[in-house]
Every structure is written in C-alpha cells, then in structure tokens.
Amino acid sequence: MAEQVLALDGLEKRFGALKATDGVSLTLEDGEIHALIGPNGAGKSTLIHQIAGTLKPDAGSIRFLGRDIGHLGVAERARLGLGRTFQVSSLAPEFSALRNVMLAVQARQGSSFRFWRPVMRDAALTEPAMAALERVGLAGRARVPAAELSHGERRQLEIAIALALGSRAFLLDEPMAGMGPEGSKALTGFLDGLRAEAPILLVEHDMDAVFALADRISVLVYGRIIATGSVEAIRNDPAVREAYLGEPA
Amino acid sequence: MSRETAVSLAFLALLLALPFAAQALDEPFYITLATRMAILALAATGLNIALGLGGLVSFGHAAFFGIGGYAAGILATHAFNNEPLLLGLPGTNQMIVMWIVGAAVAGLVALAIGLISLRTSGVYFIMITLAFAQMIYYFAISWPAYGGEDGLSIYVRNAFPGVNTLKPMSFFLICYALLLAALALFWRLRDSRFGAALQAGRQNPVRLAAVGIAPFRIRLVAFVASGMVTAVAGALFADLNRFVSPSMLSWHMSGELIVLIILGGVGRLAGAVAGAMLYVLFEFVLGGMTEHWQLFLGLILLAVVLFARGGLIGLLAGRPRHG
Ligand SMILES: Nc1ncnc2c1ncn2[C@@H]1O[C@H](COP(=O)(O)OP(=O)(O)OP(=O)(O)O)[C@@H](O)[C@H]1O
Ligand SMILES: [Mg+2]
C-alpha cells in the first residue's frame, strides 16, 4: 500500500448550530490525486482550512507525514510542506507575480531575517521563482502586479507559489474556477503530472477534470463523507447520484 | 534613475539647501526651522518602517520619541550636576552616547509593547499603542525627579567629537546626516528579504502565513527598529530645544508623526522628508497667521486622504514600484 501522507480522523467543526464538518476521516496517499466533491456549502473549503490551519477543528486529529499537526499554526504547517491554494485567491496584491513567488522561495530557504541585500538582485530568489512561474505558464506575466492579473492567472500564480514552497502535499481549492475551457484543459494536464511530485487533495466542481484526474473521489454532503471510491464506483453510487449528481436513484 | 528616486533626491537637496540659504541671508532662525524639519523627518522615517512598510498604525510613537528625549535630558542633567546616574555610572554630554542609550531603552520598551500589541490588529492595535504611550506620558508627569510636568532643561547643547554643536549649521548637519543614515536603512530594509515579508504582511497576512512565514516575529522586529530610529530623533529634538518635557510623549506628538507621513506618502522612502518639510512649513506659515492653523492642516489632510492617497510623493512620483 502507498504511504499515507495526510490522514484526517474524526474531524468536526461547528459554526453555531451548523455542523460544517461532521466526523470526517480521509487519507491522502503518495502519488495520488484524491478529489473532494460535493454541493455548494457542503464544507469542502472548511475542511481545507482546517488542514492548512486557518481554522481550528472542534474535534478530531490531522496527521501529516506521520506527525500530529493539530497544534501547529498556519506558517508552521506550510513549512512542513502543506502547500494550499485558496478558493478566493489570496495574494500580495501590490507585488508582482514574480515577487509573490519569491516570497515562497525565501520562506522555503528559511531566511526572512536578512536585512540588507535587495531581493530583486538575488538570483537565489529570482531564479527558482521564475522557474515556478514557467512551469505554470505565467513567466510572461512575471512583472505584472498580482492585483492586475486575470482571475485565471491568479489561480495559476497560487499554484506556482505552492510549487516554489517545495510542497509535500497540495491542497487545491477549486483551481479551475475562473479559467476558460482552454485553461482548465492545460491545468488538468499539468496536475496529472504533478501528482508524481506530491499528492493532491483536489476540491473541484469541474467534473470533467475530476473524472479525468482522480485516483479516488470522496463525496462530501452536509459536512459528512457519504462515499469514497474510484471514479467508476462513485459514478455508479446511487446515493451519490441522488445527493450530488442530481439524478434520482 | 526612477521618477521616485529623482523626487526623493530633490526633497533632500531642498532640505540641505535651506539652512545654507538662511545663512547666506543671515536669517539663523531658518536654520532652526530646517533642523526641526530634519529631526521630524528622522522620527517619521522611523515610524514609516512600522506604519508604511508593515502597515502597523502605531499611535504611540511619541513614547519612543520622548524616551529618546528624556535619555538626552537625563544624561545631560547628571553630567551637568556631576551626579552619578545608575550603579555609579556617570551622566554624559556626548550625543552619541545619548543616541545609543535612547535607542536601546526605546528598543526594549518597543519590544515589550510590541509583544502585547502585535497580537491585535486594526483599531485594537491603534488603541493599545496609544494606551501604552499614555501610560509613559503620565509616568513622566508624575515623576518629580526629572522635572515632572515642568520638564527638564539642557543648559548647554550636548557635544559631538570634533564638531562645535553650538553652531546651528553644525547641529543641522549632524541631524541631516542621521536622517540620511535612517533613509539608507529604510531603503535597504524595504528591498531586503525582511522587507519583502514585512510588506507582504501588510498587503495580506494570510498569504504570508500560507507560505510559512509567521507575521508576528517579522512585525515585532520592525516595530522595535522603528521605535529605535524615532528615539534617536527624540534625543536630537531635546538638543534642538535644549528642553525635554512630557509633551514629547503626548498623543499629539504621535498624531503629528502619523499626519506628516500621510502628507508625505505612506511607505515611500522620502515620504517622511516631504511630509516633515510640508508640516513645518504649514506650522510656520499658517501658525503665523492664525492660532487655529491645525484646523487648516486638518482640511489639507482631508484633501490628501480623499484626493492624493499617496501624499506628496505619490502626487509627484506616481504609484510605488515593487519590481
Ligand atoms: N467562518 C464561517 N462562519 C460561519 N459559517 C461558515 C463559515 N465558513 C463557512 N461557513 C458555512 O459553512 C458551510 C460550509 O462552507 P464551505 O465554504 O466549506 O463550503 P464549500 O463546500 O467549500 O462550498 P463551495 O462549493 O460553495 O465553495 C456553509 O454553509 C457556509 O455558509
Ligand atoms: Mg469552497
């Protein structure tokens, strides 16, 4: 069996009366793309937030690379290799695309307490950052402030940042959203290759992409995982068809 | 040379030219005015590290300004009276020692204030920094050993090796040189890795944390550095006026520093310089016409906030470029 990179066990999160995460257990294994699908408001982003540390679960545990990371802050989890992208892009808007990625490179090198040398003349930052932008096809926009990038370009930039972090697992929250059909196709091809580098927990509404990419799919409805399985199994699962794919059983 | 560099150099050249013109015209008062500009520019450059680069709206920087001032005043008083200060250590009339002592004490106080206040943000941060500064203000008022409410006089301007500090021009040049040093520091910090993290934390702390850099420590270091620079300006201010009083610690002073950064350009290299020059000019021109000059200043500030968000530097050099 492939090695478990990430394991959630009995995760729970309430917002007032609403149970946004209701006893979720799932794993992410080396080399796989594990897709997380479910209707709007099912709690997918809430789950990503808990893994990344931006939200604290009320109960349950999160293990990453064999370690319990539940008590760690966002920055510490990122340094361990959890690279996430946000459903609504979250970038440094005044910085160029390149500088956004350079920030990740400098974080990876563990060297933010350097006070004198200009970053723009530091090839140890600019070169890896440029390489990451090239991989996602954004090199031509390197000097454009993040605020002026298109919606789709910002999603690409977020992925470039996660790449530059040297992530050991990727948590991607709807990376296809806002991309045209061409962009989605290109990104699908890219993610297909990326799983060899680090496994991907992929939240996505684009079913073509999910069915093309996923090794396993988990279906989240009202905070609960109602099914986990291969693409075939999920496509044919009557409960899933009813709850999510919108067809009567 | 970028447009902003040119504009920055122009302001610095103007500030340098002012006392020389005053000397040529035999108007020594204008040398004092230029010195006041340079000192306030230095204080605000310190604040600009926290406020401009880090987005930390400290409403308590008068604390550091005043600590610098009192460091100078207390050391000079002990030297003058020939009384030992602490643990048998003597006072001094050497400016350099005062700057170092003032900066060191302000750095420690900034560390303490920062450890607590940087756990909050937004309005809470503003209020907590204000509260700490007010505590120090009331402490100075109620502490009789160094003049309490009446303040403390410095009878002879303090000394600098090889310079006759009693000459207004010499003292101006000392202040100007320190301003240049602080601007160099600001500039290198801004473009460094540390500056990248600090500015990213202002733009989007969630993003900074998501790449693995916790904003807190970055901000704490910036806050301490910021307070230390402002303290050096406070020591010079005490020497300029030959007087220190609790008013240096008051919230008016904190507000003044913020105001002149907004006038000049938040986060811009020469923002504090342009702002201080404009502010002292207003104070002098409008203050000569009406004692309600701060009302007019308020209106001008409103206009800047509404119509020229980048302040004077933004107006002249456009938006900042981050590379
Ligand atoms: N901070 C919050 N406070 C209160 N309720 C929240 C909060 N965040 C999310 N919720 C609620 O929790 C539920 C799950 O939201 P979440 O964003 O995780 O859904 P999602 O599956 O990502 O949906 P979508 O597909 O629309 O992105 C929703 O009902 C949402 O309104
Ligand atoms: Mg979501």
Side-chain angles (χ1 to χ4, degrees):
Chain A
M1 199 181 102
E3 206 179 321
Q4 275 184 10
V5 174
L6 182 71
L8 313 183
D9 190 30
L11 229 49
E12 294 189 14
K13 179 76 190 174
R14 284 177 170 280
F15 295 119
L18 178 78
K19 260 197 168 173
T21 306
D22 189 0
V24 170
S25 302
L26 66 76
T27 62
L28 183 64
E29 288 167 11
D30 216 8
E32 79 166 342
I33 293 182
H34 189 158
L36 185 64
I37 64 173
N40 290 115
K44 305 180 295 293
S45 296
T46 302
L47 201 60
I48 299 280
H49 279 300
Q50 290 168 85
I51 302 170
T54 30
L55 282 176
K56 287 253 171 288
D58 300 327
S61 75
I62 305 169
R63 296 184 72 78
F64 179 55
L65 301 170
R67 257 182 88 166
D68 188 339
I69 59 166
H71 58 286
L72 299 180
V74 177
E76 284 172 295
R77 295 185 199 195
R79 281 201 297 276
L80 285 180
L82 270 175
R84 61 95 62 105
T85 66
F86 294 80
Q87 181 172 356
V88 178
S89 304
S90 183
L91 298 158
E94 295 167 24
F95 278 175
S96 65
L98 182 66
R99 289 206 63 173
N100 269 279
V101 185
M102 284 165 62
L103 199 64
V105 177
Q106 107 178 27
R108 184 184 186 180
Q109 294 174 359
S111 57
S112 285
F113 289 96
R114 292 198 198 159
F115 303 95
W116 206 249
R117 181 142 173 234
V119 287
M120 293 313 290
R121 275 185 263 140
D122 189 345
L125 292 177
T126 54
E127 279 170 12
M130 206 59 201
L133 285 176
E134 257 155 33
R135 285 190 66 191
V136 300
L138 211 54
R141 306 280 280 162
R143 295 299 179 133
V144 179
E148 289 168 28
L149 294 174
S150 75
H151 210 63
E153 286 169 337
R154 280 184 225 164
R155 317 318 298 268
Q156 288 169 281
L157 178 52
E158 292 222 345
I159 292 172
I161 292 171
L163 291 175
L165 279 173
S167 302
R168 307 284 303 275
F170 294 101
L171 312 170
L172 308 183
D173 198 350
E174 300 197 25
M176 312 279 175
M179 287 196 182
E182 282 306 303
S184 295
K185 228 168 116 188
L187 186 56
T188 303
F190 179 76
L191 294 182
D192 196 17
L194 187 62
R195 80 181 96 193
E197 241 167 87
I200 304 171
L201 183 63
L202 176 68
V203 172
E204 189 49 67
H205 280 298
D206 179 339
M207 283 305 141
D208 290 340
V210 168
F211 290 146
L213 286 171
D215 297 294
R216 288 192 294 159
I217 300 177
S218 289
V219 184
L220 196 70
V221 178
Y222 293 122
R224 282 176 170 279
I225 291 188
I226 59 165
T228 296
S230 67
V231 171
E232 269 318 293
I234 293 298
R235 275 181 131 153
N236 298 322
D237 187 310
V240 173
R241 296 177 78 105
E242 186 175 16
Y244 186 49
L245 301 176
E247 296 166 29
Chain B
M1 187 161 58
S2 79
R3 180 123 175 234
E4 177 161 359
T5 312
V7 168
S8 303
L9 289 175
F11 275 107
L12 282 171
L14 199 64
L15 180 58
L16 183 60
L18 189 59
F20 285 99
Q23 200 163 45
L25 297 169
D26 203 19
E27 293 270 13
F29 171 72
Y30 290 100
I31 303 180
T32 303
L33 210 64
T35 309
R36 193 176 158 80
M37 288 173 176
I39 293 172
L40 288 179
L42 176 61
T45 298
L47 175 58
N48 213 6
I49 294 173
L51 186 143
L53 299 181
L56 308 171
V57 185
S58 166
F59 200 3
H61 257 53
F64 311 125
F65 194 64
I67 284 170
Y70 272 95
I74 291 172
L75 286 168
T77 302
H78 282 270
F80 190 78
N81 297 336
N82 216 351
E83 290 167 352
L85 178 65
L86 262 181
L87 312 165
L89 285 173
T92 176
N93 66 348
Q94 288 297 324
M95 287 184 184
I96 296 181
V97 178
M98 293 168 176
W99 302 340
I100 293 171
V101 170
V105 175
L108 288 174
V109 173
L111 185 66
I113 295 179
L115 277 171
I116 296 168
S117 61
L118 288 169
R119 301 194 184 276
T120 66
S121 59
V123 177
Y124 298 100
F125 180 78
I126 297 176
M127 288 326 222
I128 291 186
T129 49
L130 171 65
F132 275 112
Q134 287 301 98
M135 272 165 54
I136 295 171
Y137 170 74
Y138 285 112
F139 176 73
I141 280 190
S142 57
W143 194 28
Y146 297 107
E149 220 172 334
D150 300 330
L152 197 58
S153 287
I154 297 174
Y155 294 102
V156 186
R157 180 167 291 149
N158 292 299
F160 189 90
V163 178
N164 178 0
T165 56
L166 297 179
K167 281 194 188 154
M169 184 58 112
S170 305
F171 184 60
F172 169 82
L173 289 173
I174 289 173
C175 297
Y176 189 80
L178 281 172
L179 173 62
L180 290 185
L183 289 171
L185 177 74
F186 181 94
W187 170 55
R188 298 303 294 222
L189 274 188
R190 184 193 65 187
D191 293 350
S192 71
R193 292 184 181 208
F194 176 77
L198 183 60
Q199 292 169 83
R202 167 175 57 76
Q203 296 170 43
N204 186 348
V206 175
R207 168 44 72 195
L208 188 63
V211 299
I213 303 173
F216 180 78
R217 285 202 311 163
I218 300 282
R219 289 174 172 167
L220 187 60
V221 171
F223 191 71
V224 169
S226 168
M228 290 173 78
V229 172
T230 299
V232 172
L236 293 172
F237 198 69
D239 251 325
L240 174 68
N241 302 323
R242 295 187 198 176
F243 179 65
V244 199
S245 80
S247 71
M248 273 181 82
L249 291 158
S250 82
W251 65 268
H252 294 101
M253 190 67 227
S254 297
E256 210 171 298
L257 292 179
I258 294 176
V259 164
L260 60 84
I261 289 183
I262 294 173
L263 285 176
V266 178
R268 310 303 284 263
L269 175 61
V273 180
M277 292 176 72
L278 202 62
Y279 186 87
V280 174
L281 195 70
F282 282 156
E283 185 180 46
F284 176 63
V285 175
L286 295 176
M289 296 189 300
T290 160
E291 55 184 289
H292 303 298
W293 70 277
Q294 287 189 326
L295 175 69
F296 292 94
L297 181 73
L299 292 175
I300 291 165
L301 201 61
L302 200 64
V304 169
V305 171
L306 290 178
F307 304 112
R309 303 230 37 185
L312 201 52
I313 299 290
L315 210 60
L316 297 171
R319 290 205 311 185
R321 289 192 11 205
H322 289 288

